[in-house]
């Protein structure tokens, strides 16, 4: 990623999908040994990429005002020292940029279970697969399926939750291309006409990658003494980080979408990403879940009205505190030259992570099956609701 603009504390570049989970502040190995002391309490384990690892959980909403830790949105900021340290949120996982936040979905779900987060920001299916099936270390960490097998041997498990596919599809490249097109000084054109067919061609491979991932997770669990059916296996999709073009609060496709909002995209591309790209990914992952013997949790509309630059959200600033009922639930696009890291861009922020944790809790409170998780208008991230997937 190459930053190309930076104004008013908002540096714009792009990044988009892929990251990971784990207990904040601990490695998978150390957390497994720690949790072994309460083996009678079943575990819930998360594997996969940035959308389940807790990437961007550092940020409670968005702000361009740098005072007071960006108007109290930076959870890594200490008012006592007036310094910021991402380790306060991501723990030791910040060192290799897996960015497993304390607010990650598995950590904040309302569950009476032990929690283990093995996901890592930027992970593809290769980072999850067993070594004999092509799995390989990622960011110095072993295969997630291998870690899973070792961690849960001898421990009861309630559920394994997986987020995978976005990085295999190349979602980050898609979003980066769209942002670069918007920022091109002369002759800028929407990316959707070119990227749409490319994404369609990549979807079958993404589906195959997700099916193989579920197969290896199942194998790892069996080897660890957990036969299929003794735990719940859930594959989840991705919430749309962007609204459609009709709901963006910066009209006219002007550069304030970049300098103020952190959403440097044409209306046509916003609508394509919201109405076609994210639903196509979700539909493909639903098919993979059915083939792989997993439940499917559809999150594609979980952030409706809470996306970056949505008309129904506001930035924090002087006189406006961040709030789960008014702030964006997604990190705006940033290059990392100003606040935070570029890899946090367009990921669920603190409020988004809380919402996804609520969705996971609701899913596990229901009988096994396919569900969609939705938010409640003008309410916070704890007021999510589940409906049977159509």
């Amino acid at each position: 990623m190459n930053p190309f603009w930076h104004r008013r504390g908002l540096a714009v570049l792009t990044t988009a999908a892929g990251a990971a989970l784990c207990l904040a502040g601990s490695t998978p190995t150390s957390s497994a040994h720690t949790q072994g002391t309460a083996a009678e309490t079943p575990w819930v384990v998360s594997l996969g990429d940035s959308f389940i690892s807790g990437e961007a959980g550092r940020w409670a909403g968005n702000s361009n005002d740098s005072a007071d830790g960006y108007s109290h949105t930076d959870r890594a900021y200490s008012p006592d020292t007036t310094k910021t340290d991402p380790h306060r949120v991501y723990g030791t996982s910040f060192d290799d940029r897996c960015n497993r936040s304390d607010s990650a979905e598995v950590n904040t779900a309302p569950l009476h279970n032990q929690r283990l987060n093995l996901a890592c920001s930027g992970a593809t299916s290769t980072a999850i697969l067993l070594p004999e099936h092509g799995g390989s270390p990622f960011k110095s960490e072993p295969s997630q399926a291998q870690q899973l097998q070792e961690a849960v041997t001898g421990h009861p498990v309630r559920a394994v939750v997986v987020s995978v596919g976005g990085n295999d599809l190349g979602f980050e490249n898609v979003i980066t291309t769209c942002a670069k097109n918007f920022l091109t000084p002369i002759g800028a054109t929407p990316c959707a006409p070119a990227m749409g067919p490319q994404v369609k061609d990549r979807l079958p491979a993404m589906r195959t990658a997700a099916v193989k991932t579920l197969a290896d997770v199942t194998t790892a669990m069996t080897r660890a003494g957990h036969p299929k059916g003794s735990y719940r296996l859930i594959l989840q999709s991705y919430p749309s980080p962007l609204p459609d073009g009709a709901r963006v609060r910066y009209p006219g496709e002007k550069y304030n979408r970049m300098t103020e909002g952190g959403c440097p995209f044409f209306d046509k591309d916003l609508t394509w990403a919201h109405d076609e790209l994210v639903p196509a990914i979700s539909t493909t992952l639903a098919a993979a879940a059915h083939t792989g013997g997993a439940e499917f949790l559809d999150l594609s509309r979980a952030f409706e009205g809470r996306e970056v630059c949505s008309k129904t959200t506001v930035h924090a600033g002087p006189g406006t505190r961040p709030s789960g009922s008014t702030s964006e639930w997604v990190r705006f696009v940033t290059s990392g030259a100003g606040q935070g890291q570029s890899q946090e861009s367009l990921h669920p922020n603190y409020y988004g992570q809380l919402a996804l944790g609520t969705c996971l809790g609701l899913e596990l409170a229901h009988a096994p099956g396919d569900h969609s998780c939705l938010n409640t208008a003008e309410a916070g991230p704890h007021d999510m609701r589940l409906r049977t997937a159509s």
Side-chain angles (χ1 to χ4, degrees):
M1 283 261 167
N2 298 310
F4 28 92
W5 295 93
H6 179 218
R7 300 181 190 171
R8 296 186 55 184
L10 174 63
V12 177
L13 167 306
T14 70
T15 298
L21 306 177
C22 234
L23 289 174
S26 63
T27 63
T29 301
S30 65
S31 59
H33 288 310
T34 299
Q35 296 187 46
T37 60
E40 294 306 311
T41 302
W43 290 18
V44 176
V45 186
S46 54
L47 304 118
D49 55 32
S50 55
F51 273 71
I52 200 170
S53 72
E55 181 72 86
R58 169 180 171 178
W59 302 96
N62 295 312
S63 176
N64 290 317
D65 176 50
S66 62
D68 298 317
Y70 290 96
S71 295
H72 308 284
T73 61
D74 186 3
R75 300 175 58 243
Y77 174 80
S78 169
D80 296 328
T81 64
T82 67
K83 296 183 182 299
T84 185
D85 179 6
H87 292 89
R88 291 164 57 94
V89 174
Y90 296 124
T92 57
S93 71
F94 178 71
D95 296 331
D96 64 6
R97 302 302 190 263
C98 275
N99 285 5
R100 303 177 183 105
S101 72
D102 55 357
S103 60
E105 178 180 324
V106 73
N107 292 334
T108 57
L111 306 171
H112 298 291
N113 293 99
Q114 308 239 29
R115 296 100 178 300
L116 178 62
N117 183 354
L118 298 174
C120 182
S121 186
T124 64
S125 58
T126 302
I128 308 173
L129 297 175
L130 291 165
E132 64 264 36
H133 297 152
S136 60
F138 180 68
K139 294 186 177 179
S140 76
E141 296 187 0
S143 146
Q144 291 181 32
Q146 182 180 5
Q147 292 180 58
L148 172 68
Q149 179 180 329
E150 295 172 356
V152 303
T153 298
H155 301 279
V157 176
R158 182 182 181 187
V160 179
V161 190
V162 181
S163 174
V164 69
N167 292 325
D168 292 271
L169 183 71
F171 186 67
E172 178 181 345
N173 173 260
V174 172
I175 296 299
T176 300
T177 299
C178 295
K180 285 183 176 179
N181 279 23
F182 181 83
L183 296 168
T184 299
I186 300 175
T189 58
C191 72
M195 297 306 301
Q198 292 184 37
V199 168
K200 185 176 181 179
D201 290 343
R202 297 174 190 171
L203 287 172
M206 185 192 76
R207 180 182 182 278
T208 298
V211 171
K212 289 181 177 179
T213 296
L214 294 173
D216 271 18
V217 169
T218 302
T219 297
M221 290 293 290
T222 301
R223 291 175 178 175
H226 303 283
K228 192 171 182 179
S230 66
Y231 61 94
R232 292 177 68 168
L233 177 61
I234 302 168
L235 178 66
Q236 62 184 42
S237 63
Y238 302 93
S240 176
L242 299 165
D244 59 79
R247 293 187 297 111
V248 66
R249 67 173 178 267
Y250 301 97
E253 299 183 332
K254 300 176 182 178
Y255 269 23
N256 62 345
R257 289 190 180 182
M258 173 189 72
T259 57
E260 298 178 25
C263 53
F265 305 101
F266 288 107
D267 286 346
K268 184 172 184 175
D269 293 338
L270 289 169
T271 300
W272 169 68
H274 179 274
D275 292 356
E276 297 182 43
L277 174 59
V278 171
I281 292 173
S282 187
T283 298
T284 302
L285 289 175
H290 298 157
T291 300
E295 302 171 44
F296 180 64
L297 179 57
D298 181 10
L299 301 174
S300 60
R301 291 294 178 256
F303 291 178
E304 197 80 355
R306 312 305 172 84
E307 311 98 329
V308 171
C309 294
S310 172
K311 287 180 179 179
T312 49
T313 60
V314 296
H315 280 178
T320 304
R321 299 278 298 199
S323 164
S325 60
T326 61
S327 297
E328 295 163 331
W329 289 4
V330 179
R331 183 63 176 156
F332 57 21
V333 174
T334 176
S335 69
Q339 47 174 309
Q341 301 168 277
S342 62
Q343 71 179 54
E344 294 172 314
S345 300
L346 298 188
H347 285 81
N349 63 20
Y350 174 69
Y351 297 124
Q353 298 293 339
L354 294 182
L356 297 181
T358 302
C359 291
L360 177 57
L362 291 171
E363 177 71 16
L364 290 176
H366 280 69
D370 295 350
H371 298 96
S372 299
C373 194
L374 306 170
N375 70 65
T376 301
E378 300 181 0
H382 298 297
D383 291 305
M384 305 298 287
R385 50 200 169 86
L386 216 61
R387 72 181 183 190
T388 302
S390 57

